[in-house]
Every structure is written in structure tokens, then in C-alpha cells.
């Protein structure tokens, strides 16, 4: 059990020395640690976000995104259905099928 406590003490000492030696690295590592643990960012505004751009400081609600996507898909589906289901023109300029005389082709 003592060896585990010694390792923790040594790791803490190494961490303190590295933080003192390279403060920018310490800020990046702290920001990365907070990202994985879900802790809020430091209020000082000093922490580096690692190049990740934050929008207006709020996350999008996934339910709104899903609703917007569903509406867009529905509208596109309706438009495609309306375009593809239009009746064909039955005008006289239509040619009869190959091998069938015109008089037989248009008899109904």
C-alpha cells in the first residue's frame, strides 16, 4: 500500500514541476481534462481550448436539431413526390409504341 502512495506523491510532484516549467502546457492539459470530466471552464478566461472554437457559449438542443432535420426531410419528400407523380401529357404529339400502328395504339 505504501508503494501506491509513493507513486501518487511522485506523480503529483512531477505534475507540479511541469506546470511550473511550462504554464501553457498546463493550461492546455487542464482544459483537456475538464473536457473529459464535464467540468465548466475556468472563469479567468486564461485556459486554452486547444483551438476548438466555441460559438455563443451555449450548446444546441438536440431535440430542436432533430425537429428541424425531420421537417426538412418531410418537405423534400413532399416536393419530390409532387414532381415525380405529375401525370404525363396525353397530347397528340405522343408517338405510338414501336411496331404498333397509330390507329391501334390510341384506341381506348
Amino acid at each position: 500500500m505504501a508503494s501506491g502512495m509513493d507513486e501518487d506523491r511522485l506523480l503529483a510532484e512531477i505534475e507540479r514541476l511541469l506546470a511550473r516549467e511550462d504554464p501553457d502546457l498546463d493550461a492546455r492539459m487542464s482544459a483537456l481534462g475538464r473536457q473529459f470530466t464535464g467540468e465548466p471552464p475556468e472563469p479567468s478566461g486564461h485556459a486554452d481550448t486547444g483551438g476548438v472554437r466555441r460559438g455563443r457559449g451555449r450548446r444546441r438542443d438536440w431535440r430542436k436539431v432533430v425537429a428541424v432535420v425531420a421537417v426538412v426531410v418531410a418537405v423534400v419528400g413532399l416536393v419530390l413526390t409532387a414532381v415525380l407523380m405529375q401525370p404525363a401529357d396525353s397530347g397528340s404529339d405522343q408517338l405510338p409504341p414501336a411496331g404498333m400502328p397509330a390507329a391501334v395504339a390510341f384506341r381506348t
Side-chain angles (χ1 to χ4, degrees), residues 36-108:
F36 287 116
T37 60
E39 294 177 16
E42 291 181 1
S44 65
H46 175 73
D48 186 16
T49 59
V52 176
R53 196 167 188 203
R54 303 284 179 200
R56 288 168 270 193
R58 62 185 180 109
R59 296 179 63 183
R60 292 186 179 171
D61 187 12
W62 64 270
R63 290 171 287 199
K64 290 180 183 176
V65 173
V66 169
V68 168
V69 169
V71 167
V72 168
V73 168
V75 168
V76 168
L78 288 172
V79 168
L80 286 175
T81 302
V83 168
L84 296 175
M85 296 302 290
Q86 287 182 351
D89 284 340
S90 61
S92 61
D93 60 341
Q94 201 173 28
L95 296 175
M100 191 178 288
V104 175
F106 292 109
R107 239 188 259 174
T108 55

Side-chain angles (χ1 to χ4, degrees), residues 7-49:
E7 288 176 3
D8 289 343
R9 185 181 54 78
L10 287 173
L11 288 172
E13 181 65 26
I14 291 171
E15 185 179 349
R16 279 192 299 273
L17 290 173
L18 284 174
R20 193 175 352 174
E21 199 173 294
D22 192 355
D24 290 334
L25 176 65
D26 180 47
R28 278 188 242 134
M29 294 304 290
S30 296
L32 184 63
R34 282 189 305 278
Q35 180 182 358
F36 287 116
T37 60
E39 294 177 16
E42 291 181 1
S44 65
H46 175 73
D48 186 16
T49 59

